[in-house]
Amino acid sequence: MQTNNSRRKFIATVGAVAGGQIFLSPFIGKSTSNIFTNEPITVAQIIDRFIKDVPGGVLKQTVDTLKSGSLDMQVKGIVTSMFATVDVIRKTIAAGANFIIAHEPTFYNHEDAVEWLKNDPVYQYKANLLKENNITVWRCHDYIHRLIPDAVTMGVLTELDWKQYADKKIPNLITLPPIYLKELIKHLKIRMGIEAVRYIGDINQTCSRILMYPGAAGKNAHISGIEHFKPDVLICGEMSEWETAEYIRDARSKGDNICLIVLGHIASEEAGAVFLIEWLKEKFPSIKAQFIPSGNSLSFA
Ligand SMILES: [Zn+2]
């Protein structure tokens, strides 16, 4: 659970409701009609409106598809989250909502291919839970990252209070006043509500130039980013130990000062789900929308 005070404060400032407080304001009794036309709002209308904001518009190839439910479903309430976990689905049902906008896959692979899972009891349980309760899940990943600037990155910069240090054209590139690696780690943990991070480097080393890739950008982005931008620190959501981490280890052995901080995927991108709440409140004020944290899947021992 991410119950850190600073994180709560951050979430409160953008109007979302965190953690255990969500049940204090269920969707019950809320009108779901459009305030201007009195027409019910469908899933399709919300998705179309979001895509209207995205430069380039509709993508031919995208993972941002419906994972359950239908486009013509009337929306009673919306939940945004990093993952539509079974727990998030249960909380959505309890809150009287029926539309989940999730950043990441529902069924354990990037494309949400389910053929290979059709006899799997975990898949079946989740798919049935969604079906029986008429919950529509839409993944909003490719579109939210294509907003200019990327709404996930901007959300993280706000969360970390780093907007003023970010490069105007490449907001993933941040130049901080010089800071010890240990202080940088402390800042990230406090602001993002993270219990522990993994890192490579000397904690007493001074850092300034940061390259930040929330999520799982992959070895090509990580390694070519380091090569191109020559940061003191790469901060990522997750990486493959045998790729990015080994590259950084070798770079340090060669004499470079590059450090690595691994935040965890969920913590690194959750600000995007919070952004969506703000967007929904502005564009569809008649529909109740809440951010429900999916929490970290992994514990530290
Ligand atoms: Zn992402």
Side-chain angles (χ1 to χ4, degrees):
M1 283 297 290
Q2 295 173 337
T3 52
N4 182 284
N5 283 340
S6 297
R7 178 153 193 92
R8 282 241 171 100
K9 207 164 143 197
F10 160 69
I11 288 166
T13 60
V14 293
V17 186
Q21 296 164 298
I22 54 163
F23 296 113
L24 297 177
S25 52
F27 298 106
I28 296 160
K30 274 279 160 186
S31 162
T32 59
S33 52
N34 184 310
I35 48 168
F36 303 111
T37 63
N38 233 21
E39 289 290 313
I41 295 167
T42 64
V43 167
Q45 282 175 283
I46 294 169
I47 294 175
D48 288 349
R49 182 61 194 79
F50 191 83
I51 295 172
K52 239 179 102 178
D53 282 357
V54 180
V58 177
L59 294 166
K60 284 200 182 105
Q61 280 266 344
T62 178
V63 293
D64 292 6
T65 56
L66 292 191
K67 311 306 176 183
S68 68
S70 66
L71 285 170
D72 58 8
M73 186 192 78
Q74 185 179 337
V75 177
K76 291 194 284 179
I78 306 171
V79 164
T80 71
S81 194
M82 274 295 287
F83 284 90
T85 63
V86 166
D87 184 54
V88 166
I89 296 165
R90 286 178 182 153
K91 285 175 176 166
T92 302
I93 296 163
N98 62 352
F99 183 30
I100 299 173
I101 304 179
H103 187 67
E104 296 298 4
T106 300
F107 297 116
Y108 328 115
N109 67 99
H110 188 51
E111 289 79 21
D112 277 307
V114 294
E115 189 58 26
W116 64 296
L117 288 169
K118 66 180 182 206
N119 297 318
D120 180 276
V122 176
Y123 161 72
Q124 287 173 349
Y125 179 85
K126 194 176 197 179
N128 286 337
L129 185 66
L130 289 165
K131 199 172 171 197
E132 282 162 12
N133 292 282
N134 297 316
I135 306 289
T136 294
V137 176
W138 178 52
R139 184 173 179 196
C140 181
H141 175 277
D142 297 348
Y143 287 116
I144 196 171
H145 282 303
R146 273 173 177 75
L147 289 174
I148 296 175
D150 181 326
V152 176
T153 302
M154 296 314 284
V156 174
L157 291 174
T158 304
E159 188 178 24
L160 295 171
D161 204 11
W162 282 358
K163 262 187 168 166
Q164 68 273 33
Y165 303 123
D167 185 274
K168 295 282 169 284
K169 286 198 181 115
I170 308 162
N172 302 73
L173 194 61
I174 300 131
T175 307
L176 297 178
I179 180 171
Y180 289 123
L181 181 62
K182 62 182 171 193
E183 294 302 323
L184 176 60
I185 289 172
K186 198 170 148 193
H187 179 77
L188 294 165
K189 284 168 69 177
I190 291 171
R191 300 294 300 207
M192 302 183 110
I194 300 172
E195 189 186 338
V197 300
R198 297 197 292 171
Y199 74 97
I200 298 177
D202 170 0
I203 53 166
N204 293 313
Q205 167 181 349
T206 306
C207 313
S208 172
R209 198 169 161 85
I210 314 281
L211 183 61
M212 186 181 66
Y213 285 139
K219 68 173 187 306
N220 291 3
H222 291 163
I223 294 172
S224 58
I226 293 167
E227 216 183 289
H228 187 75
F229 297 112
K230 309 213 175 336
D232 302 318
V233 189
L234 170 69
I235 299 176
C236 68
E238 65 171 297
M239 50 87 217
S240 296
E241 290 176 28
W242 56 285
E243 295 172 339
T244 305
E246 287 306 326
Y247 176 87
I248 289 176
R249 185 148 76 154
D250 278 351
R252 289 186 67 85
S253 297
K254 168 183 161 288
D256 297 349
N257 283 323
I258 176 77
C259 302
L260 172 70
I261 300 173
V262 184
L263 300 170
H265 194 137
I266 294 165
S268 80
E269 289 202 294
E270 214 164 38
V274 176
F275 160 84
L276 269 175
I277 291 295
E278 286 184 277
W279 184 89
L280 286 163
K281 283 187 172 159
E282 195 191 311
K283 303 297 194 289
F284 295 94
S286 67
I287 302 183
K288 186 92 179 164
Q290 294 185 13
F291 162 64
I292 298 184
S294 38
N296 200 342
S297 51
L298 301 167
S299 304
F300 299 94

